[in-house]
Amino acid sequence: MVVLGLETSCDDTAAAVVRREADGSCRILSNEVWTDHGDHAAYGGVVPEIAARSHVERIDRTVEKAIANSALTIYEIDAVAATAGPGLVGGVMVGLTTAKAISMAHRKPLIPINHLEGHALSARMTEAAAFPYLLLLISGGHTQLIWVEGLGRYRRLGTTIDDAAGEAFDKTAKLLGLGQPGGPRIEAAAAGGRADRYDFPKPLAKREGCDFSFSGLKTAVREAAQSMAAPSDQDIADIAASFQFAAARHLAQRTEKAMALASPDEPTPRLVVAGGVAANSVIKSMLGSLCASNGWALMAPPIKYCTDNGAMIAWAGAERLAGGLAPSLGEALALAPRARWPLAPPPEGGEIGGGRKGPKA
Ligand code: KG4
Ligand code: ZN
């Protein structure tokens, strides 16, 4: 089964073609990503209108390239999948509408995908990530711990009560004058810094459960930076390293709680880490030690499949189609893009960030 996948929920315009083989394994035939960071740099973050416009300008060529590089033709593709939310709604609209048009013009099934499900299943493209597993999703928009029981069966164990992990890296980089995208800039600056110079707080240390918080860390970084009249490059490197260490420690500590909560009855349970922040080597090595000391296996897919990409959307579509979980064409065509779309119900204790438009993802 061959699926074309489109992803436009943030600032990357992405399209890919994947094949699900008869044995359930995945072959990624093409994976095109057009990253937009340049256009937003002057504003210090993603500007929804700029992102939506550039998706409109680039989606056709990106889809064309994905099909051409797969060495197949549109006639050999069995279905089209597209992110239908959550995300910046202008961008989601571009990808979903394009997918609807392709589906109608070529009479192919359409599978709208929850972006978070794309991340949740992405490890299964390249790793032997059998269900169930614990997912730590750490990206610019999301920070969640999800127990992935099976296809379409997700239990949310924790989420962030303020910023996402990537957002915290981006804001910290902005504060330190390091530019965007913040995560890689912080990691590069931290390489020459001392992580033990500042003892930044341990967020939610006294709070039960597996939720995350990054706003206290952000404040601590601001205070450290503002305590100096003219911080040197070394000062900036030390703050970046201390922040990165504190963020990694927070992620690892909450993940450890989720491991205990999930308590899978298996000799070697699996932790999958996904999302752009999973590129961070300090975070990855701390999670590696956590898994080693608890008898878990850590699965971290190649970084190009951790950040936003079309392959994970195509793959989620293929898994849904194969699992009999794809909607009818009528239902799929009627589906509107969604800015908010939680993947899993919240744990007891209610929603975080509920509101008129529904709970935050
Ligand atoms: O998954 P992603 O590409 O997009 C979504 O947000 O969905 O993640 C992007 C985020 C950005 O916030 C970026 O700063 C962060 O991932 N990131 C990193 C690193 N590389 C990317 N954060 C920390 N360390 C990195 N090396
Ligand atoms: Zn994402």
Side-chain angles (χ1 to χ4, degrees), residues 13 29 95 126 172 176 196 214 216 228 235 254 256 279 329 331 358:
T13 311
L29 304 180
T126 54
T172 300
L176 297 178
D196 61 355
F214 290 93
M228 290 170 270
D235 294 328
R254 306 312 272 187
E256 188 165 27
L329 187 59
E331 282 169 333

Side-chain angles (χ1 to χ4, degrees), residues 168-257:
F169 273 84
D170 294 339
K171 287 181 176 173
T172 300
K174 193 174 170 191
L175 203 97
L176 297 178
L178 294 171
Q180 300 296 322
R185 303 280 178 102
I186 293 271
E187 184 167 9
R194 272 181 41 207
D196 61 355
R197 175 157 161 201
Y198 293 93
D199 187 16
F200 287 141
K202 294 186 176 125
L204 307 180
K206 295 200 180 73
R207 186 168 153 150
E208 284 303 308
C210 316
D211 286 337
F212 300 90
S213 167
F214 290 93
S215 64
L217 271 180
K218 198 175 55 189
T219 308
V221 166
R222 186 180 321 111
E223 282 167 4
Q226 288 173 351
S227 70
M228 290 170 270
S232 66
D233 286 352
Q234 189 58 50
D235 294 328
I236 299 287
D238 291 346
I239 296 176
S242 303
F243 162 78
Q244 179 174 254
F245 175 78
R249 180 179 57 190
H250 181 43
L251 290 168
Q253 283 177 341
R254 306 312 272 187
T255 304
E256 188 165 27
K257 286 192 173 225

Side-chain angles (χ1 to χ4, degrees), residues 115 119 139-141 166-167 169-170 182-184 187 275-277 279-280 306-308:
H115 179 81
H119 279 301
S139 73
E167 200 177 356
F169 273 84
D170 294 339
E187 184 167 9
V277 182
N280 189 284
C306 272
T307 57
D308 287 350

Side-chain angles (χ1 to χ4, degrees), residues 58-79:
R58 292 164 178 182
I59 190 77
D60 289 4
R61 273 174 289 161
T62 310
V63 169
E64 225 167 32
K65 267 176 92 177
I67 296 173
N69 291 345
S70 73
L72 297 177
T73 65
I74 185 76
Y75 304 104
E76 293 162 289
I77 289 169
D78 299 306

Side-chain angles (χ1 to χ4, degrees), residues 7 9-10 115-116 119 137 139-142 275-276 306-309 312:
E7 157 58 38
S9 65
C10 191
H115 179 81
L116 301 174
H119 279 301
L137 171 58
S139 73
H142 307 285
C306 272
T307 57
D308 287 350
N309 65 87
M312 70 180 190

Side-chain angles (χ1 to χ4, degrees), residues 89-123:
V89 80
V92 176
M93 207 179 284
V94 174
L96 185 58
T97 308
T98 305
K100 285 180 180 178
I102 298 172
S103 154
M104 285 196 283
H106 292 278
R107 300 179 190 282
K108 293 187 191 297
L110 171 69
I111 313 142
I113 297 294
N114 182 314
H115 179 81
L116 301 174
E117 181 171 63
H119 279 301
L121 302 177
S122 63

